[in-house]
Amino acid sequence: MPKTGKTYPDWVQEYRVRGTTVKKKGEKYYLYKRTSRRVPGKKYPQPVDT
């Protein structure tokens, strides 16, 4: 699992696997599938959350 600067509770870390990201909105945590997509005119692929 990649290291991030954010620290989440242990129960949240269990759900955070490769290809996903966790975001906190208010008091709730949300798990998103994370991929990247090529965008014409951009130098690098841009992240896409679903």
Side-chain angles (χ1 to χ4, degrees):
M1 177 176 346
K3 292 281 186 180
T4 62
K6 298 179 182 176
T7 316
Y8 296 109
D10 291 335
W11 65 270
V12 175
Q13 290 287 8
E14 292 176 13
Y15 294 99
R16 192 172 160 261
V17 296
R18 186 178 175 102
T20 63
T21 185
V22 174
K23 293 184 181 180
K24 183 177 181 183
K25 293 184 182 178
E27 295 296 317
K28 296 183 181 184
Y29 294 92
Y30 294 89
L31 182 69
Y32 293 94
K33 179 180 174 186
R34 182 143 220 167
T35 58
S36 61
R37 181 169 296 156
R38 267 286 184 204
V39 177
K42 297 280 185 171
K43 190 172 183 179
Y44 299 102
Q46 299 300 305
V48 177
D49 292 334
T50 54

